[in-house]
Amino acid sequence: MIIWDLVVVGAGPAGLSAARVAAAAGVRTLVLDRATHPRYKTCGGGLIGTSLSAVAGRIEVPAHDRVDRVTFTRDGRRAFTRRHRTPLVAMVRRDEFDDRLRSAAVAAGAELREGVAVRGVDQDPDGVRVRLADGATVQARTVLGADGSSGVTSRHVGVRFRQVDLGLERELPVPADVQRRWQGRLLLDWGAIPGSYAWVFPKGSSLTVGVIAGRGEGEGTRAYLRRFVDRLGLSEVEPEHDSGHLTRCRADDSPLRRGRVLVAGDAAGLLEPWSREGISYALRSGALAGEAVAAGDLDRYERDVRERLVPSMRAGHRLLEVFERRPDVFHALLATPAGWSMFVRFCQGRASFDRTLSHAPVRAALALLDRLPPLRSPMAAQPH
């Protein structure tokens, strides 16, 4: 039986980034995925600067639009639009983006097996045995789990989550006049449910329209999406896809590894807590895992994640707390030059939230907001 140096479970951004890095360093790498590329993936598909930097020089980003304008609204009201001189976000469809990552991993020397479901992993002193749905097994010295937050590897490692959100999304094909109206512009709406927001992401012939809120607000979240789509005048458009998913953000002390099994991306609960942006965390954590495996130092992966990714996640939780309490103040701050500048730096990947929130004026503003009572929108109490 072949013993692989690295078996990657899951062929999304985290798994494929790890596979490319490891294979390029000479690590004998196998990737397993139950789907077959290209495949649809529920995702807003907005690539911020951090993600674009992670793939620069490795793939050509299949962008359907590049956004330089952002419209902000507060539950459909108090709209304002800001424009930047250069694009802030690249809009991709995940089936195309992930397929480019697949090609890059294979070109680097990784082997990919699709349509293969993993049922479990078992460890012993000699390595890891990956059990497949057809009864076969795959032997590996190391396994990287990148099969999502509800996947086999996340459960094996014992990942714990402090934040779980429900995202609902529709892919809406729109006529040419609607395409022109949204070209180069995205919309972010801060909702009535604490911590919720909605978005419109333009992708050429279609719009990705979605909402996200904390799990436990299922009916309210569905009602929010219906109202949002209706306000946009798109309620009569038949969706190409109408889907939902849970995003899970790790607890601060959650493990990233158990023995010779690592987890990255969604499987590790690595994402930005306020925006729930996960692609950049998947790309970076996957690359860090691939580097650690190639170096033969699995402890290095845990150190790198805690040093490079976790501080921004902690700051994101702090930002989410403020946003949940006073979305009206948050909305007003984004209309100021300082607030817009912070948003631009986030989109461009030029400043992480932990560095931004470390500035004395920002700390003082957050402390002031902490003393304000939470805002209860009358919309949140209305029957749906």
Side-chain angles (χ1 to χ4, degrees):
M1 180 180 291
I2 296 175
I3 300 179
W4 296 87
D5 295 326
L6 173 64
V7 170
V8 177
V9 181
L16 292 171
S17 293
R20 182 195 59 78
V21 169
V27 175
R28 193 171 193 182
T29 302
L30 172 67
V31 183
L32 305 173
D33 197 281
R34 63 182 178 181
T36 300
H37 287 272
R39 80 285 188 268
Y40 176 75
K41 172 74 172 178
T42 302
C43 179
L47 300 187
I48 61 175
T50 309
S51 298
L52 295 172
S53 296
V55 300
R58 299 178 178 93
I59 68 167
E60 181 180 349
V61 174
H64 287 266
D65 204 339
R66 294 185 185 271
V67 166
D68 61 6
R69 287 167 295 143
V70 183
T71 296
F72 300 95
T73 56
R74 169 68 176 117
D75 203 23
R77 306 180 300 277
R78 297 168 58 189
F80 64 90
T81 300
R82 294 290 181 269
R83 185 168 193 165
H84 196 260
R85 61 184 180 278
T86 58
L88 297 173
V89 184
M91 297 297 174
V92 299
R93 297 182 175 126
R94 280 292 301 279
D95 54 346
E96 299 172 348
F97 179 69
D98 289 8
D99 198 42
R100 298 285 176 92
L101 296 175
R102 176 200 60 79
S103 296
V106 171
E111 181 175 324
L112 175 65
R113 297 180 190 171
E114 298 180 304
V116 177
V118 172
R119 288 291 180 258
V121 292
D122 303 296
Q123 299 193 58
D124 58 42
D126 297 324
V128 187
R129 184 166 59 94
V130 180
R131 293 182 278 112
L132 308 183
D134 63 2
T137 61
V138 176
Q139 294 289 129
R141 292 184 174 85
T142 303
V143 166
L144 173 69
D147 51 342
S149 59
S150 61
V152 167
T153 61
S154 184
R155 294 195 299 272
H156 177 81
V157 170
V159 178
R160 297 184 301 276
F161 305 101
R162 66 173 284 182
Q163 175 184 332
V164 182
D165 297 292
L166 170 64
L168 304 174
E169 195 166 77
R170 296 179 185 177
E171 298 285 350
L172 303 177
V174 292
D177 61 325
V178 178
Q179 294 173 34
R180 288 191 294 272
R181 190 185 318 151
W182 286 99
Q183 186 175 5
R185 178 171 69 97
L186 66 82
L187 167 65
L188 296 174
D189 176 79
W190 318 121
I193 302 170
S196 68
Y197 76 94
W199 61 86
V200 178
F201 285 178
K203 296 175 184 174
S205 61
S206 67
L207 300 176
T208 299
V209 179
V211 302
I212 195 162
R215 185 178 63 174
E217 298 283 356
E219 183 50 45
T221 306
R222 288 186 285 272
Y224 181 20
L225 178 61
R226 290 193 296 268
R227 292 196 307 271
F228 184 61
V229 172
D230 188 58
R231 284 201 302 261
L232 296 170
L234 300 171
S235 56
E236 300 303 316
V237 177
E238 185 67 25
E240 292 177 326
H241 297 280
D242 190 345
S243 57
H245 69 290
L246 294 176
T247 66
R248 298 177 172 91
C249 188
R250 70 189 294 270
D252 199 50
D253 60 350
S254 180
L256 296 162
R257 167 191 167 201
R258 177 182 171 188
R260 301 199 65 81
V261 178
L262 317 176
V263 283
D266 288 346
L270 295 169
L271 59 93
E272 200 290 301
W274 166 64
S275 65
R276 289 79 156 186
E277 189 277 323
I279 296 177
S280 72
Y281 282 83
L283 292 168
R284 288 178 290 169
S285 63
L288 292 175
E291 291 167 1
V293 172
D297 181 3
L298 301 188
D299 292 337
R300 168 179 164 177
Y301 173 64
E302 296 174 287
R303 292 194 304 269
D304 285 347
V305 168
R306 289 181 177 129
E307 291 175 4
R308 303 186 192 184
L309 303 184
V310 169
S312 287
M313 293 180 65
R314 288 175 179 157
H317 282 298
R318 179 76 175 101
L319 191 62
L320 179 61
E321 290 173 359
V322 175
F323 176 57
E324 288 176 332
R325 287 173 56 84
R326 296 305 301 254
D328 58 328
V329 176
F330 189 90
H331 181 68
L333 286 173
L334 283 170
T336 67
W340 172 241
S341 177
M342 184 186 78
F343 183 84
V344 167
R345 290 196 302 272
F346 166 71
C347 291
Q348 293 179 328
R350 292 194 295 113
S352 60
F353 283 147
D354 56 309
R355 290 198 296 272
T356 300
L357 269 58
S358 69
H359 296 160
V362 177
R363 292 201 309 270
L366 293 179
L368 176 62
L369 288 172
D370 284 339
R371 292 195 289 271
L372 295 176
L375 181 70
R376 296 300 179 189
S377 168
M379 289 295 294
Q382 291 183 3
H384 302 299

